[in-house]
mmCIF file with all atom_site columns, all heavy atoms in Angstrom:
data_model
loop_
_atom_site.group_PDB
_atom_site.id
_atom_site.type_symbol
_atom_site.label_atom_id
_atom_site.label_alt_id
_atom_site.label_comp_id
_atom_site.label_asym_id
_atom_site.label_entity_id
_atom_site.label_seq_id
_atom_site.pdbx_PDB_ins_code
_atom_site.Cartn_x
_atom_site.Cartn_y
_atom_site.Cartn_z
_atom_site.occupancy
_atom_site.B_iso_or_equiv
_atom_site.pdbx_formal_charge
_atom_site.auth_seq_id
_atom_site.auth_comp_id
_atom_site.auth_asym_id
_atom_site.auth_atom_id
_atom_site.pdbx_PDB_model_num
ATOM 1  N N   . HIS A 1 201 ? 38.713 -12.224 13.274 1.00 67.00 ? 201 HIS A N   1
ATOM 2  C CA  . HIS A 1 201 ? 37.383 -11.676 12.907 1.00 67.00 ? 201 HIS A CA  1
ATOM 3  C C   . HIS A 1 201 ? 36.279 -12.299 13.744 1.00 67.00 ? 201 HIS A C   1
ATOM 4  O O   . HIS A 1 201 ? 35.115 -12.153 13.459 1.00 67.00 ? 201 HIS A O   1
ATOM 5  C CB  . HIS A 1 201 ? 37.100 -11.921 11.435 1.00 67.00 ? 201 HIS A CB  1
ATOM 6  C CG  . HIS A 1 201 ? 38.065 -11.247 10.518 1.00 67.00 ? 201 HIS A CG  1
ATOM 7  N ND1 . HIS A 1 201 ? 38.133 -9.908  10.355 1.00 67.00 ? 201 HIS A ND1 1
ATOM 8  C CD2 . HIS A 1 201 ? 39.045 -11.792 9.724  1.00 67.00 ? 201 HIS A CD2 1
ATOM 9  C CE1 . HIS A 1 201 ? 39.048 -9.587  9.478  1.00 67.00 ? 201 HIS A CE1 1
ATOM 10 N NE2 . HIS A 1 201 ? 39.651 -10.718 9.089  1.00 67.00 ? 201 HIS A NE2 1
ATOM 11 N N   . VAL A 1 202 ? 36.684 -13.066 14.788 1.00 75.00 ? 202 VAL A N   1
ATOM 12 C CA  . VAL A 1 202 ? 35.709 -13.705 15.652 1.00 75.00 ? 202 VAL A CA  1
ATOM 13 C C   . VAL A 1 202 ? 35.804 -13.113 17.057 1.00 75.00 ? 202 VAL A C   1
ATOM 14 O O   . VAL A 1 202 ? 36.909 -13.023 17.605 1.00 75.00 ? 202 VAL A O   1
ATOM 15 C CB  . VAL A 1 202 ? 35.916 -15.228 15.694 1.00 75.00 ? 202 VAL A CB  1
ATOM 16 C CG1 . VAL A 1 202 ? 34.952 -15.866 16.679 1.00 75.00 ? 202 VAL A CG1 1
ATOM 17 C CG2 . VAL A 1 202 ? 35.735 -15.835 14.314 1.00 75.00 ? 202 VAL A CG2 1
ATOM 18 N N   . ALA A 1 203 ? 34.715 -12.701 17.633 1.00 80.00 ? 203 ALA A N   1
ATOM 19 C CA  . ALA A 1 203 ? 34.659 -12.238 19.013 1.00 80.00 ? 203 ALA A CA  1
ATOM 20 C C   . ALA A 1 203 ? 33.892 -13.281 19.832 1.00 80.00 ? 203 ALA A C   1
ATOM 21 O O   . ALA A 1 203 ? 32.845 -13.794 19.401 1.00 80.00 ? 203 ALA A O   1
ATOM 22 C CB  . ALA A 1 203 ? 33.966 -10.890 19.082 1.00 80.00 ? 203 ALA A CB  1
ATOM 23 N N   . VAL A 1 204 ? 34.405 -13.592 20.991 1.00 84.00 ? 204 VAL A N   1
ATOM 24 C CA  . VAL A 1 204 ? 33.782 -14.603 21.851 1.00 84.00 ? 204 VAL A CA  1
ATOM 25 C C   . VAL A 1 204 ? 33.586 -14.031 23.241 1.00 84.00 ? 204 VAL A C   1
ATOM 26 O O   . VAL A 1 204 ? 34.481 -13.327 23.784 1.00 84.00 ? 204 VAL A O   1
ATOM 27 C CB  . VAL A 1 204 ? 34.660 -15.870 21.948 1.00 84.00 ? 204 VAL A CB  1
ATOM 28 C CG1 . VAL A 1 204 ? 33.988 -16.932 22.813 1.00 84.00 ? 204 VAL A CG1 1
ATOM 29 C CG2 . VAL A 1 204 ? 34.923 -16.433 20.574 1.00 84.00 ? 204 VAL A CG2 1
ATOM 30 N N   . HIS A 1 205 ? 32.449 -14.295 23.827 1.00 84.00 ? 205 HIS A N   1
ATOM 31 C CA  . HIS A 1 205 ? 32.307 -14.026 25.266 1.00 84.00 ? 205 HIS A CA  1
ATOM 32 C C   . HIS A 1 205 ? 31.396 -15.127 25.856 1.00 84.00 ? 205 HIS A C   1
ATOM 33 O O   . HIS A 1 205 ? 30.606 -15.761 25.121 1.00 84.00 ? 205 HIS A O   1
ATOM 34 C CB  . HIS A 1 205 ? 31.704 -12.651 25.530 1.00 84.00 ? 205 HIS A CB  1
ATOM 35 C CG  . HIS A 1 205 ? 30.249 -12.510 25.158 1.00 84.00 ? 205 HIS A CG  1
ATOM 36 N ND1 . HIS A 1 205 ? 29.825 -12.253 23.879 1.00 84.00 ? 205 HIS A ND1 1
ATOM 37 C CD2 . HIS A 1 205 ? 29.144 -12.590 25.944 1.00 84.00 ? 205 HIS A CD2 1
ATOM 38 C CE1 . HIS A 1 205 ? 28.519 -12.201 23.858 1.00 84.00 ? 205 HIS A CE1 1
ATOM 39 N NE2 . HIS A 1 205 ? 28.057 -12.367 25.104 1.00 84.00 ? 205 HIS A NE2 1
ATOM 40 N N   . ILE A 1 206 ? 31.602 -15.334 27.165 1.00 89.00 ? 206 ILE A N   1
ATOM 41 C CA  . ILE A 1 206 ? 30.889 -16.430 27.860 1.00 89.00 ? 206 ILE A CA  1
ATOM 42 C C   . ILE A 1 206 ? 30.075 -15.830 28.992 1.00 89.00 ? 206 ILE A C   1
ATOM 43 O O   . ILE A 1 206 ? 30.562 -14.937 29.729 1.00 89.00 ? 206 ILE A O   1
ATOM 44 C CB  . ILE A 1 206 ? 31.874 -17.481 28.389 1.00 89.00 ? 206 ILE A CB  1
ATOM 45 C CG1 . ILE A 1 206 ? 32.680 -18.085 27.232 1.00 89.00 ? 206 ILE A CG1 1
ATOM 46 C CG2 . ILE A 1 206 ? 31.160 -18.570 29.162 1.00 89.00 ? 206 ILE A CG2 1
ATOM 47 C CD1 . ILE A 1 206 ? 33.724 -19.074 27.684 1.00 89.00 ? 206 ILE A CD1 1
ATOM 48 N N   . GLU A 1 207 ? 28.836 -16.304 29.115 1.00 87.00 ? 207 GLU A N   1
ATOM 49 C CA  . GLU A 1 207 ? 27.952 -15.845 30.185 1.00 87.00 ? 207 GLU A CA  1
ATOM 50 C C   . GLU A 1 207 ? 27.633 -17.040 31.089 1.00 87.00 ? 207 GLU A C   1
ATOM 51 O O   . GLU A 1 207 ? 27.508 -18.178 30.632 1.00 87.00 ? 207 GLU A O   1
ATOM 52 C CB  . GLU A 1 207 ? 26.667 -15.272 29.634 1.00 87.00 ? 207 GLU A CB  1
ATOM 53 C CG  . GLU A 1 207 ? 26.869 -14.014 28.808 1.00 87.00 ? 207 GLU A CG  1
ATOM 54 C CD  . GLU A 1 207 ? 25.569 -13.531 28.202 1.00 87.00 ? 207 GLU A CD  1
ATOM 55 O OE1 . GLU A 1 207 ? 24.527 -14.224 28.336 1.00 87.00 ? 207 GLU A OE1 1
ATOM 56 O OE2 . GLU A 1 207 ? 25.531 -12.411 27.610 1.00 87.00 ? 207 GLU A OE2 1
ATOM 57 N N   . ASP A 1 208 ? 27.480 -16.741 32.388 1.00 84.00 ? 208 ASP A N   1
ATOM 58 C CA  . ASP A 1 208 ? 27.089 -17.801 33.344 1.00 84.00 ? 208 ASP A CA  1
ATOM 59 C C   . ASP A 1 208 ? 25.567 -17.960 33.320 1.00 84.00 ? 208 ASP A C   1
ATOM 60 O O   . ASP A 1 208 ? 24.862 -17.349 32.510 1.00 84.00 ? 208 ASP A O   1
ATOM 61 C CB  . ASP A 1 208 ? 27.624 -17.522 34.719 1.00 84.00 ? 208 ASP A CB  1
ATOM 62 C CG  . ASP A 1 208 ? 27.097 -16.203 35.293 1.00 84.00 ? 208 ASP A CG  1
ATOM 63 O OD1 . ASP A 1 208 ? 26.135 -15.642 34.709 1.00 84.00 ? 208 ASP A OD1 1
ATOM 64 O OD2 . ASP A 1 208 ? 27.621 -15.751 36.326 1.00 84.00 ? 208 ASP A OD2 1
#
Side-chain angles (χ1 to χ4, degrees):
H201 299 290
V202 176
V204 181
H205 72 277
I206 299 177
E207 296 177 352
D208 60 13

